[in-house]
């Protein structure tokens, strides 16, 4: 999907890039810079710069000059901050929240979002997702996975459904469920061992 098109996740945003940029700024506690944002989002510096300048003019983001770098931070005192953050969390937030909650699992070898949210994120039209489907690849403790899902569910205010597969199952070419999953949109957060046909993924990490 073109980054300039209105995103199916929430068409009130001007573009996919705007939604991703807002998620990166409003949901991440650390300060950042325009260069870091452009790198993380895989977008041209000039495009990100224009989007950031709009947010600065709206007083949602504040910029401080540190040496030659403009350091950006969210203005949490802006009255629009909380409602906008909540909207961004519900729409573009799952990518960041799932990465934060599942990304440090012991034994993790791959992490994806699949299902309806991934399809909307990748540009397929359809109804708004009611839940988030997560694929965890690796030899992980299933109780730990459930804990991660519970935390993510509380943050995202919707069900988070984890599916765990071993490295061996992931590398098998003949399992119907995984073959069908690979043919559908996937949002890749942590790269799994490569398999033939595993091309329908978004490989940038938040």
């Amino acid at each position: 999907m073109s980054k300039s098109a209105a995103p199916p996740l929430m068409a009130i945003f001007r573009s996919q890039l705007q939604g991703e940029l807002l998620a990166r700024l409003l949901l991440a506690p650390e300060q950042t810079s325009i260069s870091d944002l452009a790198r993380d989002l895989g977008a041209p510096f000039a495009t990100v710069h224009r989007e950031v300048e709009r947010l600065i003019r709206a007083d949602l983001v504040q910029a401080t000059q540190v040496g030659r770098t403009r350091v950006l931070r969210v203005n949490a005192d802006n009255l629009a901050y909380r409602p906008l953050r909540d909207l961004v969390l519900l729409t573009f937030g799952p990518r960041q929240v799932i990465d934060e909650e599942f990304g440090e699992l012991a034994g993790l070898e791959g992490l994806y979002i699949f299902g309806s949210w991934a399809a909307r994120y990748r540009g397929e039209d359809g109804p708004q997702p009611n839940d988030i489907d997560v694929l965890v690849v690796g030899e992980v403790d299933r109780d730990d996975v459930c804990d991660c899902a519970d935390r993510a569910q509380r943050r995202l205010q919707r069900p988070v459904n984890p599916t765990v597969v071993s490295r061996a199952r992931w590398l098998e070419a003949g399992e119907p469920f995984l073959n069908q999953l690979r043919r559908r949109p996937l949002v890749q957060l942590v790269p799994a061992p490569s398999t033939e046909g595993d091309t329908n993924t978004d490989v940038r990490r938040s």
Side-chain angles (χ1 to χ4, degrees):
M1 186 184 74
S2 168
K3 284 186 178 292
S4 63
L9 275 174
M10 183 57 71
I12 64 172
F13 291 119
R14 184 171 55 256
S15 66
Q16 178 90 355
L17 175 62
Q18 184 192 38
E20 292 180 354
L21 178 65
L22 286 169
R24 178 66 178 80
L25 286 168
L26 299 181
L27 304 182
E30 70 272 12
Q31 297 178 341
T32 188
S33 69
I34 295 176
S35 296
D36 289 342
L37 289 170
R39 184 193 65 245
D40 292 346
L41 299 174
F45 178 91
T47 304
V48 175
H49 182 272
R50 286 195 299 271
E51 292 288 347
V52 168
E53 288 298 325
R54 291 188 181 101
L55 295 173
I56 291 173
R57 289 196 297 271
D59 199 30
L60 280 164
V61 170
Q62 296 174 334
T64 303
Q65 197 72 31
V66 179
R68 300 177 63 183
T69 302
R70 293 173 80 198
V71 176
L72 309 174
R73 66 178 181 86
V74 172
N75 179 14
D77 293 329
N78 189 305
L79 291 177
Y81 163 73
R82 180 64 62 179
L84 181 58
R85 181 186 182 279
D86 290 345
L87 178 60
V88 169
L89 180 65
L90 291 173
T91 52
F92 286 88
R95 178 180 183 133
Q96 186 156 325
V97 170
I98 297 303
D99 195 9
E100 290 173 357
E101 297 297 350
F102 288 81
E104 301 302 323
L105 276 169
L108 183 71
E109 296 188 70
L111 181 64
Y112 297 86
I113 302 176
F114 65 100
S116 58
W117 188 89
R120 299 296 89 74
Y121 183 88
R122 294 292 298 274
E124 288 190 7
D125 289 326
Q128 289 298 304
N130 293 319
D131 56 8
I132 308 297
D133 297 307
V134 179
L135 179 69
V136 178
V137 180
E139 301 299 330
V140 296
D141 187 297
R142 290 177 182 266
D143 288 338
D144 290 343
V145 171
C146 289
D147 291 341
C148 293
D150 287 343
R151 292 194 301 269
Q153 186 166 289
R154 286 194 297 270
R155 293 176 64 184
L156 294 169
Q157 302 176 47
R158 70 181 77 178
V160 172
N161 311 310
T163 298
V164 178
V165 300
S166 65
R167 176 191 176 96
R169 281 185 64 194
W170 177 253
L171 292 174
E172 281 183 10
E175 185 164 342
F177 166 72
L178 293 179
N179 286 341
Q180 181 181 18
L181 187 150
R182 292 187 187 101
R183 289 192 292 268
R184 297 291 300 144
L186 292 172
V187 176
Q188 178 178 290
L189 305 177
V190 175
S194 61
T195 60
E196 286 193 20
D198 183 17
T199 59
N200 196 18
T201 59
D202 182 340
V203 298
R204 289 182 293 108
R205 180 164 181 169
S206 300

